[in-house]
């Protein structure tokens, strides 16, 4: 076995409609099922356990910046107390097919501050109300879209009846028009006869959305398509992450 340590230097972090990559330096996600005791007289004096409902937390840190909803201070204040905030963390790069962790949750804490003479900083916390799904990036944040198009296929796997596909959309730059993102699945990477899996609400501003697609899908390849309408100089920067988790 070859062990290749990962030095976390090129992490991408998206919260709602904010790209926190250039403002943050710490991100921790903790996924934890409840530990339920099922000890009986037949267990010979040792406790036994089973897993219960899932819970999760996200703890974030970074440097302060304000001005609009693409900046951390504006985004955290706007979403404080909101229970459906989408969060995506990418350990490396953020290209299509890169590993991603995603969830949505309740923003429970935002704390800006610093000592005299220090850089203004912040910490923030979320309590998840979705599973933390492990998946991949379906669309990269750094590619501007000005016309309707199709994304690249990514093999995420089939989704059985006990699981669901969780998808996050982060619209982080908006100029005019309307963006509608759809999710498709296919038997192979040609998408010759794609199946329409789900659709986000049309986006006309910075912000994030979440989508849960029920299991029972045998196709293993996934991609997004996007439709851009209206306006004259429309352009969008957005990221889409998707992962499979318990339903």
């Amino acid at each position: 076995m070859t062990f290749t340590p990962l030095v976390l230097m090129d992490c991408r972090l998206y919260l709602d409609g904010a790209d926190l990559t250039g403002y943050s330096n710490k991100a921790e996600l903790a996924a934890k099922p409840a530990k339920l005791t099922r000890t009986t007289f037949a267990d010979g004096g040792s406790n036994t356990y089973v897993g219960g409902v899932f819970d999760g937390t996200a703890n974030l840190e970074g440097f302060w910046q304000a001005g609009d909803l693409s900046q951390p201070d504006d985004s955290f204040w706007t979403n404080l107390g909101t229970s459906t905030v989408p969060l995506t963390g990418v350990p490396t790069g953020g290209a299509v097919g890169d590993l991603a962790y995603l969830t949505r949750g309740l923003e429970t804490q935002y704390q800006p501050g610093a000592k005299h003479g220090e850089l203004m900083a912040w910490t923030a916390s979320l309590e998840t109300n979705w599973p933390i799904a492990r998946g991949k990036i379906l669309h990269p944040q750094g590619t501007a879209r000005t016309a309707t198009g199709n994304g690249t296929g990514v093999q995420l796997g089939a989704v059985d009846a006990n699981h669901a596909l969780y998808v996050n959309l982060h619209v982080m730059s908006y100029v005019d028009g309307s963006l509608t993102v759809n999710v498709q699945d296919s038997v192979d990477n040609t998408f010759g006869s794609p199946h329409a899996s789900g659709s986000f609400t049309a986006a006309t501003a910075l912000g994030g959305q979440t989508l849960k697609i029920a299991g029972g899908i045998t196709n293993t390849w996934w991609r997004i398509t996007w439709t851009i309408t209206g306006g004259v100089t429309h352009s969008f920067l957005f990221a889409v992450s998707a992962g499979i988790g318990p339903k």
Side-chain angles (χ1 to χ4, degrees), residues 130-169:
W130 262 9
I132 297 176
R134 184 180 186 272
K136 296 180 179 180
I137 291 294
L138 297 187
H139 188 271
Q141 181 272 341
T143 302
R145 302 298 183 182
T146 59
T148 296
N150 299 325
T152 302
V154 174
Q155 193 168 29
L156 282 171
V159 185
D160 65 34
N162 296 316
H163 291 79
L165 185 79
Y166 297 90
V167 192
N168 280 355
L169 167 66

Side-chain angles (χ1 to χ4, degrees), residues 118-130:
E118 295 182 347
L119 290 174
M120 183 78 161
W122 52 263
T123 62
S125 300
L126 285 83
E127 299 287 338
T128 65
N129 55 27
W130 262 9

Side-chain angles (χ1 to χ4, degrees), residues 8 11-15 20 24-32 55-62 76 87-91 100-106 108-109 122-128 132-133:
L8 199 60
C11 178
R12 305 288 166 161
L13 188 63
Y14 311 132
L15 179 89
L20 299 181
S24 58
N25 58 7
K26 183 178 180 179
E28 294 180 339
L29 295 174
K32 45 189 177 181
D55 195 4
T57 57
N59 295 305
L60 314 174
E61 295 182 13
F76 283 126
L87 174 68
T88 298
V90 190
Y101 300 94
L102 61 140
T103 189
R104 77 174 189 184
L106 168 69
T108 56
Q109 178 258 336
W122 52 263
T123 62
S125 300
L126 285 83
E127 299 287 338
T128 65
I132 297 176

Side-chain angles (χ1 to χ4, degrees), residues 46-61:
S46 297
N47 283 326
T48 59
Y49 304 96
V50 296
V53 297
F54 279 80
D55 195 4
T57 57
N59 295 305
L60 314 174
E61 295 182 13

